[in-house]
Amino acid sequence: MKYEILGPGTTKVPWQERPKELKGAPIWRYDANPIIGRNPVEGVARIFNSAVMPYGDGFIGVFRGEQTNGIPAIYLGRSSDGINWDIDKEKIPFTDEEGNPFMPQYAYDPRLVKVEDDYYIIWCQDFYGASIGIAKTRDFKKFVRIENPFIPFNRNAVLFPRKINGKYMLLSRPSDSGHTPFGDIFISESPDMTYWGKHRHVMGANDNWWESLKIGGGATPIETSEGWLLFYHGVAGTCNGYVYSIGGAILDIDNPSIVKYRCETFLLTPEEWYEERGFVPNVCFPCATVQNPGTGQLAIYYGAADSYVGLAFTYTDEIIDYIKSHSQLSETDREIGRR
Ligand code: BMA
């Protein structure tokens, strides 16, 4: 392999070889998408924007389930192959640090990452407005919420899978509480996962029309020999609503507020029926990847049209080369993001 994956992975990446006809970026959809359809669990109308990771002999995941009352909540799921999922009927039972029940009023777009001995679930919740929720678990039985780590309004929090220079690092997208028409990606650091500071700007919406309205972190960054490989979402504002595409960037390994490469074209944009048609049409929203450091095979999990979960595949060597050869950086990408 040309570029090494330095972080953890699995030899069991869900996989399908590339179709013969493939135009554009070297990334292709699973031909049996969507992998989770409508009404997957009693009381849950749709599952989408969800995150998974290897666990034990198989996989574990945190799923955004839109309940039949319209309110989103987070559910735990398990799978032996990463494709067929068994999702709990009950919501994840979060507690506070004293062990008392402490459920968010709503919870959506969860991400999942292991840092050292703890697994962290990060999501968007209500805290007098949209803000970031974080909980940790060691056994996927007890889930302890870390009390309101950020003030509102903020979303799309993505935690790095290891400390950098001795600090936990988190990407987020400060904004407002509604269907935000603006937003850049920032990074914050913490010595203890409770107190966050030294906020820096990473990258902003730009002149490329597919990501000109706002952007937000997507999957947990993947550590590679070229830098942190980040799949994120970029949004275009059209006369008929927002369009969410998947973009790719590579951040500096020791100073991730510096963008080394940023692909000027989208990697994946809504084209299939399950991406174009649904509760919110035209949404591809990446939340997780699963990769094999031995082969470079990489599977991307993304929410489709706020209705389904889709799976797409690539090779790290190919996607990194594509991002590098189509890179276009602005001044705010290159700088350290401190003013
Ligand atoms: C964003 C988030 C996502 C959603 C997207 C499109 O603001 O709420 O959960 O997928 O809008 O509706």
Side-chain angles (χ1 to χ4, degrees):
M1 275 167 49
K2 189 164 166 190
Y3 309 109
E4 243 181 291
I5 298 177
L6 302 168
T10 174
T11 53
K12 285 181 63 177
V13 175
W15 190 252
Q16 193 168 57
E17 280 309 327
R18 128 192 16 236
K20 281 200 191 73
E21 302 272 316
L22 184 69
K23 298 199 177 82
I27 175 168
W28 54 97
R29 295 165 175 86
Y30 181 43
D31 69 5
N33 271 350
I35 60 168
I36 301 177
R38 298 233 181 194
N39 302 303
V41 176
E42 186 62 42
V44 176
R46 307 181 307 278
I47 282 183
F48 54 100
N49 300 4
S50 301
V52 313
M53 65 182 293
Y55 185 68
D57 296 339
F59 298 86
I60 199 150
V62 290
F63 294 87
R64 169 177 178 165
E66 224 80 341
Q67 301 170 91
T68 44
N69 64 6
I71 299 174
I74 307 177
Y75 297 80
L76 198 66
R78 290 184 173 74
S79 171
S80 57
D81 59 7
I83 293 175
N84 297 290
W85 287 90
D86 190 9
I87 292 164
D88 288 355
K89 290 186 180 52
E90 302 299 330
K91 299 172 204 170
I92 290 183
F94 294 109
T95 70
D96 63 16
E97 281 159 33
E98 281 72 51
N100 305 308
F102 186 34
M103 293 298 280
Q105 294 190 356
Y106 63 70
Y108 61 77
D109 299 356
R111 273 72 167 194
L112 178 64
V113 60
K114 186 176 189 207
V115 192
E116 298 177 353
D117 295 330
D118 289 299
Y119 296 89
Y120 293 94
I121 304 171
I122 309 145
W123 67 89
C124 174
Q125 64 182 16
D126 176 58
F127 174 47
Y128 303 88
S131 72
I132 292 167
I134 302 184
K136 62 181 174 179
T137 181
R138 289 211 166 164
D139 54 10
F140 289 98
K141 292 190 183 102
K142 251 177 72 184
F143 301 86
V144 179
R145 274 172 74 188
I146 298 170
E147 195 175 325
N148 298 307
F150 284 79
I151 55 171
F153 304 100
N154 205 335
R155 280 182 263 197
N156 290 306
V158 172
L159 184 65
F160 283 71
R162 69 163 170 85
K163 289 180 183 163
I164 301 175
N165 305 318
K167 301 288 192 325
Y168 294 97
M169 303 295 275
L170 184 99
L171 301 174
S172 70
R173 206 278 308 284
S175 55
D176 60 22
S177 216
H179 301 297
T180 315
F182 66 95
D184 292 356
I185 299 178
F186 288 77
I187 194 165
S188 310
E189 61 176 62
S190 171
D192 55 9
M193 284 296 291
T194 295
Y195 299 102
W196 294 88
K198 294 210 171 172
H199 314 291
R200 290 182 176 179
H201 182 268
V202 179
M203 56 197 228
N206 64 20
D207 293 342
N208 299 321
W209 283 22
W210 67 270
E211 56 174 342
S212 57
L213 192 75
K214 56 177 171 175
I215 60 172
T220 301
I222 303 166
E223 186 172 8
T224 77
S225 49
E226 201 60 23
W228 294 102
L229 171 59
L230 174 70
F231 295 101
Y232 65 98
H233 67 258
V235 183
T238 75
C239 62
N240 219 7
Y242 293 172
V243 177
Y244 283 70
S245 304
I246 303 179
I250 296 169
L251 313 180
D252 186 89
I253 208 78
D254 297 319
N255 271 309
S257 67
I258 299 173
V259 183
K260 284 175 67 184
Y261 305 100
R262 178 173 176 183
C263 194
E264 64 166 318
T265 66
F266 52 72
L267 301 178
L268 202 82
T269 200
E271 284 174 7
E272 294 292 338
W273 66 265
Y274 51 87
E275 299 162 349
E276 292 180 335
R277 202 172 77 212
F279 190 73
V280 180
N282 297 317
V283 181
C284 291
F285 195 92
C287 289
T289 65
V290 169
Q291 50 278 348
N292 182 341
T295 59
Q297 289 165 306
L298 194 152
I300 302 174
Y301 290 79
Y302 66 100
D306 285 13
S307 301
Y308 312 99
V309 175
L311 197 51
F313 309 108
T314 186
Y315 282 102
T316 37
D317 277 358
E318 291 185 38
I319 204 77
I320 291 174
D321 273 339
Y322 189 85
I323 292 170
K324 286 174 72 172
S325 61
H326 293 76
S327 181
Q328 192 190 66
L329 294 178
S330 69
E331 205 40 52
T332 59
D333 294 331
R334 279 196 205 93
E335 64 192 16
I336 199 132
R338 202 168 55 170
R339 281 183 187 167

